[in-house]
Amino acid sequence: MSHEITVNDMKIIPTVFHLFLKQYKLKNLAMNNTLMAYLDKRLHPKDSRYPSDNTQPGPVICISREVGCGAVNITNCWLLNLINNLRSKNGKY
Amino acid sequence: MSKEILQQSALELNMDPYKLRKYLNEGERNLFDDILSAFNEKRHKSDRKINQTLIDLISSFASDGYCIIVGRAGHIITRGIKESLLIRMTADHDWRVKQIMENNNLNIRQAIDFIEKTEQERLNFCKRFAAGNDTTDGFDLTINLSRITMNDTIKIIHSAAQIKGLLDYHRSKVEVF
């Protein structure tokens, strides 16, 4: 009895491929490999680690500074403040 | 992130980070320089390749979001991103000389030389990505640090980020349909 390949079968292929990778513990290796990273991105369109192409880029803050302004120190202080605020809000970090 | 960008770029280009840094801070290179170094160096990377790697890397960090990029021409490369806050920190020359003298334990002459040299290097770096535009243009916010305390600076940055909606911790990324 022949089995025709349907659209649903095609959908399974990425999942099977990923299971294959997982089984052979290649996941860590895959992260260092551009092709594997690309495939992982394609196979996990809903994974938050790999935002889809429809996602808006950012948010990002860019700081340009003159020499001697100590922008890195200021940024670090602000980040510490932010983390402390988060801690006090959530009770944990 | 600041130095991390350089380290990651060096890794992707298979170059020594120190060499890449030196290379990026140099002035404009012409085709002849490129040809010479192609014969000279074992693993030569063209100007275009290095620039593109840096642009790709910074764009990728910025696209992933939730990061602060200090320097590295981030304000030029991420100019097109809507959810971004571009800040310029400036200060009077004398104030900066004093800061450099205190922090780096230098005398006044050394501090002035250091400022001039580093400013020139940063300008060379930014010019690579500015495509002829002014590198000190297009900021959302410019802060003069010699006229304001560090705590107030932090408050201003925090408020600006809040106003632009960049600090909504628990929101999910908005999909565009």
Side-chain angles (χ1 to χ4, degrees):
Chain A
M1 199 171 76
S2 67
H3 176 68
E4 281 181 28
I5 296 173
T6 62
V7 177
N8 280 335
D9 289 334
M10 295 294 283
K11 281 179 186 170
I12 294 169
I13 291 172
T15 318
V16 172
F17 180 66
H18 185 67
L19 284 173
F20 171 79
L21 281 182
K22 221 173 181 180
Q23 192 182 346
Y24 286 95
K25 296 178 181 177
L26 283 172
K27 206 176 175 193
N28 287 336
L29 181 69
M31 296 309 289
N32 294 329
N33 183 309
T34 313
L35 174 65
M36 291 302 181
Y38 168 76
L39 284 172
D40 242 8
K41 195 174 175 178
R42 289 297 299 261
L43 302 182
H44 294 90
K46 287 181 182 170
D47 193 329
S48 61
R49 286 177 304 161
Y50 305 110
S52 71
D53 291 341
N54 291 337
T55 310
Q56 280 185 357
V60 60
I61 296 172
C62 291
I63 299 175
S64 166
R65 75 286 197 220
E66 284 185 331
V67 183
C69 284
V72 175
N73 284 343
I74 291 172
T75 310
N76 285 338
C77 286
W78 179 47
L79 279 177
L80 272 175
N81 276 358
L82 272 180
I83 290 168
N84 286 337
N85 280 349
L86 269 176
R87 271 186 185 151
S88 59
K89 266 184 188 173
N90 300 337
K92 61 176 182 177
Y93 177 61
Chain B
M1 49 185 65
S2 178
K3 287 187 174 69
E4 293 84 352
I5 290 170
L6 229 117
Q7 276 162 0
Q8 190 64 31
S9 307
L11 198 73
E12 290 203 9
L13 289 162
N14 198 13
M15 280 177 88
D16 176 22
Y18 173 76
K19 215 171 183 179
L20 178 65
R21 189 197 182 100
K22 200 174 151 228
Y23 183 83
L24 288 169
N25 291 339
E26 281 174 6
E28 251 177 68
R29 293 164 64 90
N30 54 33
L31 186 66
F32 188 67
D33 291 326
D34 245 5
I35 293 169
L36 267 183
S37 49
F39 279 111
N40 243 347
E41 292 164 29
K42 232 179 186 179
R43 286 180 298 192
H44 169 73
K45 298 286 181 305
S46 72
D47 233 20
R48 211 178 59 173
K49 168 94 179 157
I50 291 174
N51 287 358
Q52 198 52 51
T53 306
L54 274 163
I55 290 173
D56 287 348
L57 203 71
I58 294 172
S59 303
S60 136
F61 281 132
S63 290
D64 287 346
Y66 303 96
C67 66
I68 301 173
I69 298 171
V70 181
R72 311 292 155 199
H75 67 287
I76 299 168
I77 296 167
T78 63
R79 202 168 271 176
I81 295 177
K82 197 180 162 195
E83 276 196 281
S84 64
L85 179 64
L86 310 180
I87 300 169
R88 173 83 176 156
M89 289 184 185
T90 62
D92 297 343
H93 186 263
D94 292 347
W95 187 87
R96 290 190 288 131
V97 170
K98 202 176 151 209
Q99 292 292 316
I100 292 286
M101 282 168 66
E102 282 171 10
N103 295 339
N104 300 3
N105 210 10
L106 299 175
N107 64 36
I108 190 161
R109 189 65 253 164
Q110 287 170 325
I112 291 170
D113 286 347
F114 177 80
I115 288 175
E116 280 173 8
K117 184 174 167 266
T118 316
E119 287 284 8
Q120 191 55 50
E121 285 175 353
R122 285 183 185 173
L123 188 67
N124 289 338
F125 185 87
C126 285
K127 270 184 183 171
R128 291 171 162 268
F129 308 101
N133 296 326
D134 189 358
T135 56
T136 55
D137 203 19
F139 291 98
D140 297 316
L141 183 67
T142 302
I143 305 170
N144 186 343
L145 294 170
S146 53
R147 295 177 60 83
I148 202 162
T149 64
M150 189 166 155
N151 279 340
D152 288 344
T153 307
I154 291 170
K155 280 178 197 164
I156 290 171
I157 296 172
H158 189 86
S159 302
Q162 232 164 12
I163 289 165
K164 282 205 93 175
L166 307 184
L167 297 182
D168 300 340
Y169 307 114
H170 305 298
R171 68 164 178 188
S172 58
K173 288 213 163 196
V174 181
E175 299 280 330
V176 180
F177 296 102

